[in-house]
């Protein structure tokens, strides 16, 4: 049977992708951002993940305002990096585990999560930046070392789904994965955040204390954390900080008992606080190694 | 019964809700069209003619032509859309924030390197009103 063994929380700041693509990660501004992912890349290799289930949002790149699905599951064979206005990122096309994706699509709807099925979709920095920071530099001619199932969440037009809904969706994703016969090790990513505001006169807001309590409670108090009202993200973590609801999908898909095995936090990358955490299911520890 | 908008008292912030999405629809659809190089080329050749393809209000249209980044948000634009117009002009997210905050690029960047804008005094509109009252 397929299993979700671990979760990764990770910011997906576009400038991080630009820094990798331009080869400037060793500059003093960027060095402390990337230092925190060195251990993560080792960890990622050790997991030998077959599939990454990657929760992210599109930033008005692939989805325009004509259609705004709250949850859209990537079910097509592959997903090419999108042109976001500067040309597509020079990273590999993402390949799906299409049979598992269609299984999850069917399971979720019957489990009363009425997701949108995407049979054709490009992906923006929300998906490619977490891949790059966790797997390291790749060119268009390389391949990502594992398959990826994208779940795209609306966090642009208010309201995004509630943290509670996201947490419970994580549980439904877990049920779907565990009802799949093939033996697969699945790692789930929840991406976006941490505190940041990109717009208008309050742009640049960063709330380190708030971000840190979020990271702490992800391990120790996830259910109460998932009840955080939207207005608290907007006020305390900036208007774009509300992206963090996506981390609850990741947390919901894990066991109640997890161990934090890695954390990284740095301000700034461009306008944003970079946050990153790795959580392992205690009972699955060591199984993939 | 009207929905309660408990986020309207956050200073210096537009929450892009369904009402704003409705008001800004044509403006935002114009902005996202600039994601593609062929559209950026056409827009570059004749901005006015390109804008004729979108039924936005006169105010929205003028704000586009003026590159009035804050006005675009006031009129229903969303930052992820307006950033496509900025990208067309060679302006990245951080430079755009320098413009929207009126701080300029260097001061804004320095604020971020120093840890960003503190939430202290920046949570409620009333805190900003007090500051203006003092000034
Ligand atoms: Fe994002």
């Amino acid at each position: 049977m397929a299993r979700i063994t671990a979760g990764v929380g990770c910011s997906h700041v576009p400038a991080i992708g630009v820094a990798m693509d331009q080869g400037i990660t060793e500059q003093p501004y960027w060095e402390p951002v990337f230092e925190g992912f060195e251990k993560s890349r080792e960890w990622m290799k050790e997991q030998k993940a077959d599939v990454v289930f990657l929760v992210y949002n599109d930033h008005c790149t692939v989805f325009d305002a004509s259609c705004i699905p709250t949850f859209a599951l990537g079910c097509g064979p592959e997903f090419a990096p999108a042109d976001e206005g500067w040309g597509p990122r020079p990273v590999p096309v993402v390949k799906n585990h299409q049979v598992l994706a269609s299984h999850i699509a069917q399971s979720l709807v019957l489990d009363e999560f009425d997701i949108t099925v995407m049979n054709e979709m490009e992906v923006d920095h929300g998906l490619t930046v977490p891949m790059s920071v966790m797997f390291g530099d790749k060119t268009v001619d390389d391949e990502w070392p594992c398959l990826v199932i994208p779940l795209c969440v609306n966090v642009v037009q208010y309201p995004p789904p509630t943290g509670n809904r996201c947490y419970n969706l994580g549980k439904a994703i877990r049920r779907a994965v565990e009802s799949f016969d093939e033996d697969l090790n699945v790692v789930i990513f929840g991406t976006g955040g941490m505190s940041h505001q990109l717009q208008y006169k309050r742009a640049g807001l960063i709330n380190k204390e708030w971000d840190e309590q979020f990271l702490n409670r992800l391990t120790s108090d996830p259910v109460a954390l998932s009840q955080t009202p939207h207005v608290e993200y907007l006020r305390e973590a900036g208007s774009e900080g509300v992206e963090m609801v996506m981390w609850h999908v990741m947390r919901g898909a894990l066991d109640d008992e997890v161990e934090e095995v890695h954390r990284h936090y740095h301000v700034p990358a461009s306008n944003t606080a970079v946050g990153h955490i790795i959580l392992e299911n205690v009972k699955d520890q060591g199984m993939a190694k | 019964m009207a929905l309660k908008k408990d986020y309207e008292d956050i200073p210096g912030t537009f929450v892009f809700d369904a009402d704003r999405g409705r008001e800004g629809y044509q403006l935002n659809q114009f902005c996202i069209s600039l994601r593609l190089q062929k559209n950026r080329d056409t827009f570059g050749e004749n901005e006015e003619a390109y804008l004729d393809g979108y039924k936005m209000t006169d105010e929205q249209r003028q704000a586009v032509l003026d590159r009035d980044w804050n006005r675009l948000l006031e009129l229903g634009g969303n930052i992820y859309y307006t950033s496509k117009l900025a990208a067309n002009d060679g302006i990245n997210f951080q430079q755009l924030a320098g413009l929207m905050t009126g701080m300029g690029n260097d001061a804004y960047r320095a604020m971020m390197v120093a840890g960003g804008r503190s939430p202290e005094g920046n949570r409620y509109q009333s805190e900003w009103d007090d500051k203006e009252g003092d000034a």
Side-chain angles (χ1 to χ4, degrees), chain A residues 8 26 31 33 40 75 90 125 130 136 142 157 192 217 228 239 255:
Chain A
V8 171
E26 283 165 20
E31 205 270 328
V33 173
S40 316
C75 293
H125 69 266
D142 295 327
Q157 181 166 311
R217 293 171 67 202
T228 306
S239 50
D255 286 353

Side-chain angles (χ1 to χ4, degrees), chain A residues 12-14 56-59 124-126 155 191-193 196 198 240 243 246, chain B residues 80:
Chain A
H12 58 218
V13 188
Y56 77 109
N57 69 287
D58 181 79
H59 303 80
D124 78 1
H125 69 266
V155 296
T191 73
H196 67 305
L198 301 177
E240 280 64 57
E243 288 188 338
M246 294 184 288
Chain B
Y80 290 115

Side-chain angles (χ1 to χ4, degrees), chain A residues 150-162:
Chain A
L151 178 76
C152 188
V153 181
N154 165 51
V155 296
V156 172
Q157 181 166 311
Y158 187 90
T162 62

Side-chain angles (χ1 to χ4, degrees), chain A residues 3-10 40 43-44 47 49 51-55 130 134 174 185-191 215 218-219 246-255 257-263 275-282 284-285:
Chain A
R3 290 170 11 261
I4 297 176
T5 54
V8 171
C10 183
S40 316
W43 177 89
M44 200 68 237
Q47 299 312 300
V51 177
V52 165
F53 189 97
L54 204 154
V55 185
M134 294 303 290
R174 176 189 178 138
N185 180 20
V186 180
V187 174
I188 184 165
F189 288 16
T191 73
L215 290 168
L218 215 47
T219 301
M246 294 184 288
W247 292 42
H248 299 303
V249 181
M250 175 273 284
R251 185 61 184 91
L254 301 178
D255 286 353
E257 199 190 344
V258 296
E259 184 189 343
E260 176 184 329
V261 297
H262 182 55
R263 183 191 293 202
H276 170 45
I277 200 165
I278 299 179
L279 305 174
E280 292 181 351
N281 282 341
V282 171
D284 290 321
Q285 280 178 332

Side-chain angles (χ1 to χ4, degrees), chain B residues 4-54:
Chain B
K4 186 168 151 267
K5 296 194 176 185
D6 57 358
Y7 45 80
E8 292 279 87
D9 64 343
I10 304 174
T13 303
F14 287 112
V15 175
F16 186 67
D17 61 12
D19 285 330
R20 294 197 163 276
R22 187 186 67 245
E23 289 162 9
Y25 182 69
Q26 291 287 332
L27 167 63
N28 290 322
Q29 290 297 84
F30 150 71
C31 289
I32 197 174
S33 75
L34 300 180
R35 182 168 92 71
L36 301 176
Q37 185 61 49
K38 65 174 170 42
N39 294 337
R40 294 196 285 272
D41 292 343
T42 315
F43 179 61
E45 282 160 22
N46 186 337
E47 295 198 357
E48 296 261 12
Y50 189 88
L51 286 170
D52 288 343
Y54 294 88

